[in-house]
Amino acid sequence: MNESKLALVMGGGGVRAAYQAGVLRAIARRFPELHLPILAGVSAGAINTSFLAAREGTFGERVAELETLWRGLTTERVLRSDALTLLKTAARWALRLSSGSSSLAPRPRAMVDTQPLRELLHEALRAEGGALPGIARNFARGLEAVAITTTEYGSGDSITHVQSRDACGWARPHRFGVRTQLDVEHIMASSALPLFFPAVKLGGAWHGDGGIGLRAPLSPAVHLGADRILAISTRYERSSRDPLPARPDYPPPTQVIGLLLGAIFLDMLDQDALHLERVNALLEALPQERRRGLRPVRLLLLRPSRNIAALAAQHETRLPQPYRFLMRGTGTKETRTPESLSMVLFERPYTSELVAMGEEDTERRMDEIAAFLEGEERGALQSTGFWRV
């Protein structure tokens, strides 16, 4: 199998990342010894990326453990959802807003406290004082580079933190790659959903969700030398056959927030895939000596076959009551497709269905996926640059 420069790229979307675990589970059944030398993730995809990078064992063994993690997730393991904590947070926001940001008013940092997630990551990634020694050990087994992207709130720059066997860095307008030793705080920062989760301080600057500033989600893998990329999106692409969603009298906040988050975490991967397709077509029209060091990069982009937001609406009642009350305040019961809820509904039945959806979608297209992973060249690929699955 031609795997020398195969990269796995996982995008964001909060708890939607459970779908990625399902995709990987199906692939692992077919390719339990799959070698992925380059791993790149952003937002919740950074959690899955770091898990594969830091845990030891075969690809199949690590993915099985990742699936168990997602299927066992609960709200309490991610955030403090008790009534007292949420009430205190709501009071801080109310005082802050009503006082005109008075210096005497306490400064809230987010809607929820994610200390439980930090503790979960320490355990799941087998961290030692926050460090992830498993990554260095996996370098000896063929791993080449791990890239986790955050957004620096002060400058708005997209910062990709790279731990690799070889020195690697890059500088583009508002987009930088820096070499570092990854730890739990990088993962917490990358997955810090804006407004919902608090920002994290890294190197003296505050960082938040990597999807905010990353306009080219595939770029870290390309910078790291990938010539083939397996990318997993959590964005459902509505077809012309789908009925239009029911429209309330006025869009509730959850729908507006969901569209904003979707534009940040879900749409950019599609745009970057289209850009890569066009660059591939241009390069293939040029002789090798005129490509100026650029190379075609093959992309297999996987996505959900069903509307994840509609699935989230079916599980809304499973949230702990105080947290459910908070989410309903944003209008989660006023729409059939609460996009923002689909990113923060951390409950077993919902995550289990997302995992199952990922497995089913992948099994249906396993022949194409296998051909891509085995490096097969097909005529149709030469004109499209990537496969849509």
Side-chain angles (χ1 to χ4, degrees):
M1 191 181 298
N2 179 18
E3 301 171 333
S4 60
K5 289 298 178 181
L6 175 63
L8 174 64
V9 173
M10 289 185 276
V15 73
R16 287 172 178 246
Y19 176 84
Q20 297 169 346
V23 171
L24 295 174
R25 188 72 179 112
I27 293 175
R29 278 196 294 268
R30 179 74 174 267
F31 300 101
E33 302 292 334
L34 181 65
H35 175 51
L36 295 164
I38 300 171
L39 298 171
V42 61
S43 190
I47 295 176
N48 292 337
T49 296
S50 60
F51 192 98
L52 294 180
R55 296 291 287 251
E56 297 178 69
T58 65
F59 176 69
E61 291 168 345
R62 285 176 287 157
V63 168
E65 293 169 346
L66 180 62
E67 178 192 13
T68 299
L69 176 69
W70 281 108
R71 286 187 181 274
L73 205 62
T74 62
T75 301
E76 290 80 4
R77 298 193 74 190
V78 177
L79 54 91
R80 288 177 175 153
S81 59
D82 61 281
L84 181 59
T85 298
L86 294 178
L87 183 61
K88 287 180 178 178
T89 300
R92 290 192 188 99
W93 277 109
L95 185 58
R96 180 77 173 178
L97 293 171
S98 63
S99 68
S101 297
S102 168
S103 59
L104 300 178
R107 178 178 294 180
R109 292 188 172 180
M111 288 179 62
V112 295
D113 182 347
T114 53
Q115 181 59 28
L117 175 60
R118 180 176 280 104
E119 295 168 0
L120 174 63
L121 290 178
H122 273 267
E123 176 186 347
L125 302 179
R126 296 177 178 171
E128 297 179 3
L132 306 176
I135 295 179
R137 289 194 287 266
N138 281 327
F139 283 152
R141 300 180 176 93
L143 180 65
E144 294 184 13
V146 186
I148 301 297
T149 301
T150 66
T151 300
E152 185 180 334
Y153 279 146
S155 63
D157 292 337
S158 177
I159 310 297
T160 298
H161 310 267
V162 179
Q163 185 169 343
S164 65
R165 292 193 300 192
D166 303 311
C168 181
W170 58 86
R172 301 291 185 272
H174 301 291
R175 180 164 57 85
F176 302 91
V178 297
R179 195 176 188 192
T180 189
Q181 295 294 310
L182 294 171
D183 60 29
V184 169
E185 295 307 292
H186 290 98
I187 318 306
M188 288 293 296
S190 184
S191 56
L193 281 167
L195 297 180
F196 279 99
F197 294 175
V200 176
K201 204 167 191 179
L202 299 175
W206 290 100
H207 290 246
D209 200 297
I212 300 173
L214 185 58
R215 296 295 174 262
L218 301 173
S219 61
V222 175
H223 282 298
L224 292 169
D227 50 40
R228 288 178 298 127
I229 300 174
L230 173 64
I232 310 176
S233 171
T234 62
R235 181 183 186 273
Y236 168 72
E237 188 170 358
R238 190 175 67 84
S239 72
S240 59
R241 299 185 301 273
D242 294 336
L244 289 174
R247 290 180 169 85
D249 293 335
Y250 190 84
T254 186
Q255 205 67 17
V256 177
I257 294 171
L259 289 173
L260 289 172
L261 294 178
I264 293 171
F265 305 121
L266 310 181
D267 295 346
M268 285 299 104
L269 190 52
D270 286 343
Q271 293 299 318
D272 205 20
L274 179 60
H275 176 70
L276 180 61
E277 177 186 18
R278 291 171 174 170
V279 171
N280 282 344
L282 289 172
L283 290 175
E284 288 163 359
L286 291 174
Q288 187 73 36
E289 63 272 12
R290 296 187 60 190
R291 293 181 179 179
R292 299 187 178 184
L294 299 177
R295 67 190 187 284
V297 179
R298 300 301 172 199
L299 171 67
L300 173 57
L301 177 60
L302 309 176
R303 68 170 70 257
S305 62
R306 289 181 281 147
N307 191 332
I308 290 181
L311 177 64
Q314 300 172 19
H315 292 282
E316 186 262 358
T317 57
R318 299 182 182 275
L319 288 171
Q321 187 172 4
Y323 186 50
R324 184 169 72 244
F325 183 80
L326 173 67
M327 294 307 300
R328 284 185 176 178
T330 68
T332 56
K333 295 296 288 183
E334 300 173 41
T335 173
R336 295 178 183 176
T337 55
E339 294 286 347
S340 60
L341 178 66
S342 73
M343 301 183 187
V344 295
L345 204 165
F346 302 97
E347 288 297 322
R348 288 191 185 99
Y350 175 60
T351 57
S352 293
E353 282 206 46
L354 289 178
V355 171
M357 187 193 303
E359 292 185 81
E360 292 165 7
D361 290 348
T362 306
E363 289 292 353
R364 278 195 296 269
R365 304 302 297 270
M366 185 55 74
D367 287 345
E368 293 96 327
I369 294 170
F372 179 84
L373 293 177
E374 290 168 350
E376 181 177 331
E377 292 289 344
R378 295 186 177 182
L381 289 182
Q382 301 305 313
S383 61
T384 64
F386 66 94
W387 299 344
R388 291 185 180 275
V389 177

